Amino acid sequence: TRKRVELEGKIDTRLKALYQGQLAAAHKSGVASFSDAVAGAVKTGQKKGASYEFADIVEREKVVALKQFESEARSLAIEGVPWSNFKQQYNLYEKDLDEVSARLRKEEMRRLATRVERWVRSRLGESVGLEFNKLGSGRGGSGAPETGEKPQTEKDLWDRIWNVFVATVKEAETRFVERAKSFDASQDEIDVGLWRLRRKSWGVLRAKIDEEVMEGNILLKLRENFEDKFRYDEAGVPRIWRPTDDIEGMYTKAKESTLTLIPLLSRFRLAATYAPPELPDWIGNAPSSVDPKDEEDLTPIGGVDEEEGKSLEEEMTILSEAKRQDLVVRFKKTADGVYVEAKRSAIGGVAQVPLYFYGLLLALGWNEIVAVLRNPVYFIFLILLGVGAYVTYTLNLWGPMIRMANAASSQAVEIGKEKLRDFLENSETGRQAIGMKAREDSDSISLNTLDSRGNRKEAEVEDEDDDI
């Protein structure tokens, strides 16, 4: 009947709404559970420290999520109604899982890039620092070894740094690609990651170079380089200066040789081409699939980002002209101090008692020595003095005895000064010798001259009255 048909329609509509609502809730909770499960598995793998396969984790959790959704959908299905077929919802759910997987994979790629960048920073920090430390011997405390092979020339410093940098980044790229493929990442994602890695690595190298050429660090390395050439010979043996040595010539030669390093350090130039490295070609153009969000945390690079208005020459400038001149002045002052110290050591070596003086002293005092040795009293007294000196030395009493003698002598001087001061003040002869006035007698009373009003007259008034 008509009412029955209407009732069936209402029931069908109500059941369909409830069914779709339950499927939507299962869809939403399944996606959230899938995301949490993948994130939890990744964190567990990171805590264990072992390498984990992100693609396997995603695939495993995806199978679990699809089975749970299918099981729940079948439990809600009603036989005999066309809308209980959940194939369409199942496909939509699987598509959403793929989108979540892509988002999680992108986040994992970011974390991978961060780990690789950290590795590059660590390797470059050691390698580049070692190359700069080769400018000196390490005796001044910069960390370079005192032994080992030093480079044949200092002019290829930037070539060695560039080669180390390229080799380190290439190794990092290999690690990144191998790990990214295990994430089931697309080629576009890998290309974007490599492009970002090269840009980030150059920023790390530039920051490390700026740290090495800071005023204190580079001045220390220049001093070490100068001292290696001035204080040590070609075999690395320290020079002992004598007045006959050409100290000034060696100083000038070592200083001029070290000063040539400052222009070398001021610009990043390869010795082979005397030009900056081809940084734009090495970094490459931005991939077509790069996202604007991928460029937000990137530092502009001169010669690569032309819209920033910074040229490649400016990017390769390490020391500005002002810093360069200031560094020259400071280094010359440091070198002058080392030169003055060497001069003093050479002059100080001459100020010593000649050996023949001791022979002359022995010859002239031979009679006195024989007299002391032949006289039993003097000889016994000399032995007692020697024994006393030995006992005092053994017990480490020379220091306290010297301090006591100094204190006693100082006290005696103070007492003598006080006695002399009292004598000069109280003696008529002493006062006359130093022109000191005698003390006023407290018993004598002087009277003042008063005027007619009883006021004291001034000295000038008294003098005028005397004149009248």
Side-chain angles (χ1 to χ4, degrees):
T1 63
R2 183 173 60 84
K3 290 185 178 181
R4 181 178 179 180
V5 172
E6 291 178 356
L7 180 60
E8 289 178 354
K10 290 180 180 180
I11 293 174
D12 184 75
T13 302
R14 181 61 177 169
L15 289 176
K16 183 178 180 181
L18 291 174
Y19 178 74
Q20 291 179 349
Q22 290 293 328
L23 283 182
H27 181 115
K28 185 177 180 180
S29 63
V31 170
S33 299
F34 170 75
S35 179
D36 294 340
V38 173
V42 170
K43 288 182 180 179
T44 302
Q46 291 176 348
K47 289 180 179 179
K48 291 181 178 179
S51 59
Y52 57 92
E53 298 295 334
F54 181 79
D56 294 343
I57 294 175
V58 171
E59 188 65 27
R60 183 176 66 251
E61 297 298 334
K62 182 180 178 181
V63 171
V64 173
L66 289 175
K67 286 184 178 180
Q68 289 180 350
F69 182 81
E70 183 179 3
S71 175
E72 189 167 353
R74 289 186 183 279
S75 65
L76 296 174
I78 301 176
E79 297 182 359
V81 291
W83 43 261
S84 62
N85 185 4
F86 58 90
K87 185 65 177 178
Q88 183 178 359
Q89 288 84 352
Y90 183 86
N91 293 334
L92 181 61
Y93 179 70
E94 186 175 7
K95 182 180 179 181
D96 287 348
L97 291 182
D98 292 337
E99 292 179 356
V100 173
S101 301
R103 178 176 58 81
L104 294 175
R105 183 174 63 250
K106 193 170 184 178
E107 293 177 358
E108 187 64 20
M109 290 281 288
R110 283 292 185 93
R111 285 192 288 268
L112 171 63
T114 302
R115 291 195 297 270
V116 174
E117 290 166 12
R118 193 181 300 118
W119 180 84
V120 170
R121 182 178 291 105
S122 175
R123 289 291 297 272
L124 287 180
E126 297 176 0
S127 303
V128 176
L130 184 60
E131 294 297 333
F132 271 98
N133 288 339
K134 289 179 181 178
L135 294 175
S137 64
R139 296 182 180 91
S142 67
E146 295 188 16
T147 59
E149 296 184 2
K150 295 188 66 176
Q152 297 294 331
T153 177
E154 296 154 344
K155 296 181 179 180
D156 62 344
L157 170 67
W158 296 120
D159 298 72
R160 288 183 274 115
I161 290 178
W162 177 254
N163 293 334
V164 167
F165 170 68
V166 172
T168 302
V169 176
K170 186 175 181 180
E171 185 178 354
E173 288 179 350
T174 303
R175 290 169 173 249
F176 180 83
V177 171
E178 292 177 355
R179 198 79 181 113
K181 287 182 178 179
S182 68
F183 296 166
D184 197 19
S186 63
Q187 187 61 39
D188 291 339
E189 291 175 331
I190 294 177
D191 292 340
V192 172
L194 293 177
W195 177 73
R196 282 176 50 85
L197 176 61
R198 286 191 289 268
R199 291 184 62 105
K200 288 274 192 177
S201 300
W202 171 254
V204 171
L205 176 64
R206 195 66 173 81
K208 180 60 180 177
I209 292 175
D210 291 339
E211 178 185 346
E212 290 291 337
V213 298
M214 288 177 62
E215 182 177 336
N217 295 337
I218 195 62
L219 193 60
L220 177 61
K221 291 176 176 59
L222 291 176
R223 173 169 180 165
E224 291 175 2
N225 185 276
F226 168 74
E227 290 183 350
D228 272 356
K229 299 171 182 177
F230 179 61
R231 288 184 169 179
Y232 300 87
D233 58 14
E234 291 75 7
V237 179
R239 290 191 175 101
I240 299 177
W241 300 110
R242 297 179 178 85
T244 56
D245 293 338
D246 185 13
I247 302 178
E248 186 174 355
M250 294 182 182
Y251 161 73
T252 304
K253 181 180 178 181
K255 184 179 71 171
E256 294 299 329
S257 176
T258 304
L259 283 175
T260 58
L261 293 178
I262 297 179
L264 174 68
L265 294 171
S266 62
R267 295 184 183 278
F268 196 124
R269 288 177 178 173
L270 302 180
T273 60
Y274 198 67
E278 296 296 334
L279 185 62
D281 296 339
W282 182 79
I283 293 179
N285 297 324
S288 57
S289 59
V290 66
D291 193 283
K293 294 182 179 179
D294 295 330
E295 299 179 319
E296 291 179 353
D297 59 338
L298 296 178
T299 304
I301 301 176
V304 178
D305 302 318
E306 297 179 355
E307 63 275 5
E308 297 295 332
K310 188 177 181 182
S311 63
L312 180 62
E313 189 69 20
E314 293 174 338
E315 181 70 23
M316 296 300 173
T317 300
I318 308 301
L319 295 174
S320 63
E321 187 64 26
K323 290 184 178 179
R324 180 175 165 181
Q325 295 297 331
D326 182 67
L327 186 60
V328 170
V329 173
R330 290 180 179 273
F331 167 71
K332 286 183 177 179
K333 290 182 179 179
T334 304
D336 291 343
V338 177
Y339 170 72
V340 171
E341 183 181 349
K343 271 288 191 181
R344 287 177 178 173
S345 65
I347 297 174
V350 181
Q352 59 183 359
V353 179
L355 295 177
Y356 66 85
F357 179 79
Y358 295 102
L360 182 62
L361 183 64
L362 181 63
L364 295 177
W366 181 254
N367 294 333
E368 286 75 11
I369 295 174
V370 172
V372 171
L373 294 177
R374 287 181 176 179
N375 192 323
V377 178
Y378 289 162
F379 188 69
I380 293 174
F381 182 69
L382 183 63
I383 292 176
L384 292 176
L385 286 178
V387 172
Y390 175 75
V391 172
T392 304
Y393 174 78
T394 305
L395 299 178
N396 292 326
L397 294 177
W398 282 116
M401 290 176 64
I402 292 174
R403 286 194 292 271
M404 290 178 61
N406 291 334
S409 61
S410 300
Q411 188 67 22
V413 170
E414 291 296 330
I415 294 174
K417 289 181 179 179
E418 186 66 25
K419 294 293 184 182
L420 180 60
R421 188 180 298 109
D422 293 341
F423 170 76
L424 294 176
E425 290 179 354
N426 299 325
S427 172
E428 184 67 26
T429 306
R431 286 197 299 270
Q432 291 178 357
I434 62 175
M436 182 184 297
K437 293 182 179 180
R439 294 181 179 176
E440 295 182 355
D441 192 357
S442 59
D443 296 335
S444 61
I445 301 174
S446 60
L447 299 178
N448 296 325
T449 304
L450 304 179
D451 57 7
S452 59
R453 295 182 179 180
N455 296 327
R456 179 183 176 183
K457 288 185 177 182
E458 298 295 333
E460 295 179 358
V461 177
E462 293 177 2
D463 293 338
E464 291 177 0
D465 293 342
D466 293 336
D467 294 338
I468 294 173

